[in-house]
Amino acid sequence: MHEATKAPTAPADRGRAAGTRPPGPPPGEAARSTDRDTDETGYRAAYGIRYEITDKRLLRGARTRRTVLRRAVDLASLDGLDRVTFGRLAADTGLSKAGVQTLFRTKEALQLATVDFAREMFLDAVVRPAACAPRGVRRLYALLDRWAEYAETPLFAGGCFRAANLARFAGRAGPVRDALLRDQREWRESLAGELRYAVAAGEIAALDIALTVFQIDALLCAADTALRAGEDDAMAKVRRVVDALLPARR
């Protein structure tokens, strides 16, 4: 087997033996030097300045992707995922259509990325903040209060992202439907977990948890429609119905 030809030493590498790995920064230095430039992409520099340019390119691409997806989730909440196209996103963000397509390649990949982006925004707005509340009934109501803020603000231009898109894809087998149903299952499990805890802790009497979760989720979808139609008291009604659904401890 022939020995591989060694690449010439780059100017920045003079003083080091050719073919050796560049030394990393002092312990902890890489994280300190790049955390300020790091967003949700998770990219970090590995070996100081030699790799800094590459990381900045990746970060610019990630920020462009974020800009596109932020617009995509708003459009999908208003008009549905089917209406989110490369051309429309390019026009709305000022990017070229080819540039947007380079980020996602296919319309299905764009739709899936949009679903994932909306999911993370929902988790940040609703589920993660509610985790500060004590388990059980109080966290259940914290989830509902956060959901009310999410829908009333609204976080997405058209209201609840899942409510706007799941009905369109529920009967269409494929990865997009699977992703939307996964999000629905995760949300329902968040509610179910708190109900189970509340029953076990004696906060409420035993109840059909699957049925109660179905009722609460359906109620929230109806409330989202009511909010879009201008019914400002929709969430107050949700709270009253949920109060009635939870049986007092006997």
Side-chain angles (χ1 to χ4, degrees), residues 124-183:
D124 283 343
V126 179
V127 179
R128 289 170 181 139
C132 296
R135 292 291 313 272
V137 170
R138 281 180 286 181
R139 189 175 296 181
L140 175 68
Y141 278 111
L143 286 166
L144 296 179
D145 288 343
R146 288 289 183 171
W147 191 96
E149 184 178 343
Y150 150 81
E152 288 172 337
T153 303
L155 181 61
F156 304 120
C160 179
F161 179 90
R162 181 167 53 83
N165 286 282
L166 189 52
R168 289 181 169 93
F169 283 86
R172 296 157 59 179
V176 177
R177 184 188 72 162
D178 292 345
L180 290 166
L181 289 175
R182 174 207 64 191
D183 292 352

Side-chain angles (χ1 to χ4, degrees), residues 1 7 11 37 54 103 105 110 121 123 145 164 189 201 204 233:
M1 182 179 292
D37 292 326
T54 302
L103 291 171
R105 303 295 180 186
L110 170 61
M121 291 182 67
L123 291 174
D145 288 343
E189 180 53 34
I204 58 175
D233 63 342

Side-chain angles (χ1 to χ4, degrees), residues 80-97:
L81 282 163
D82 280 337
R83 300 293 297 276
V84 178
T85 64
F86 296 128
R88 190 172 182 187
L89 289 172
D92 287 358
T93 60
L95 299 168
S96 68
K97 181 178 178 180

Side-chain angles (χ1 to χ4, degrees), residues 39-41 61-76 81 84 89 104 109-125 128 150 155-156 161-162 179-180 182-183 186:
D39 51 22
E40 67 281 0
T41 63
R63 290 174 184 137
T64 300
R65 181 184 174 89
R66 177 183 174 84
T67 297
V68 171
L69 287 174
R70 187 63 186 88
R71 182 57 184 154
V73 294
D74 276 342
L75 290 176
L81 282 163
V84 178
L89 289 172
F104 303 100
L110 170 61
Q111 291 174 329
L112 290 171
T114 302
V115 172
D116 285 343
F117 195 81
R119 172 180 176 271
E120 283 301 314
M121 291 182 67
F122 179 82
L123 291 174
D124 283 343
R128 289 170 181 139
Y150 150 81
L155 181 61
F156 304 120
F161 179 90
R162 181 167 53 83
L180 290 166
R182 174 207 64 191
D183 292 352
E186 287 182 356

Side-chain angles (χ1 to χ4, degrees), residues 26-79:
E29 187 63 28
R32 287 198 300 274
S33 66
T34 59
D35 276 351
R36 65 181 181 274
D37 292 326
T38 302
D39 51 22
E40 67 281 0
T41 63
Y43 289 113
R44 298 189 189 282
Y47 289 100
I49 295 175
R50 179 185 172 111
Y51 291 88
E52 187 80 10
I53 295 175
T54 302
D55 261 15
K56 286 181 177 178
R57 289 177 59 194
L58 290 172
L59 288 169
R60 280 197 300 271
R63 290 174 184 137
T64 300
R65 181 184 174 89
R66 177 183 174 84
T67 297
V68 171
L69 287 174
R70 187 63 186 88
R71 182 57 184 154
V73 294
D74 276 342
L75 290 176
S77 70
L78 285 165
D79 301 326

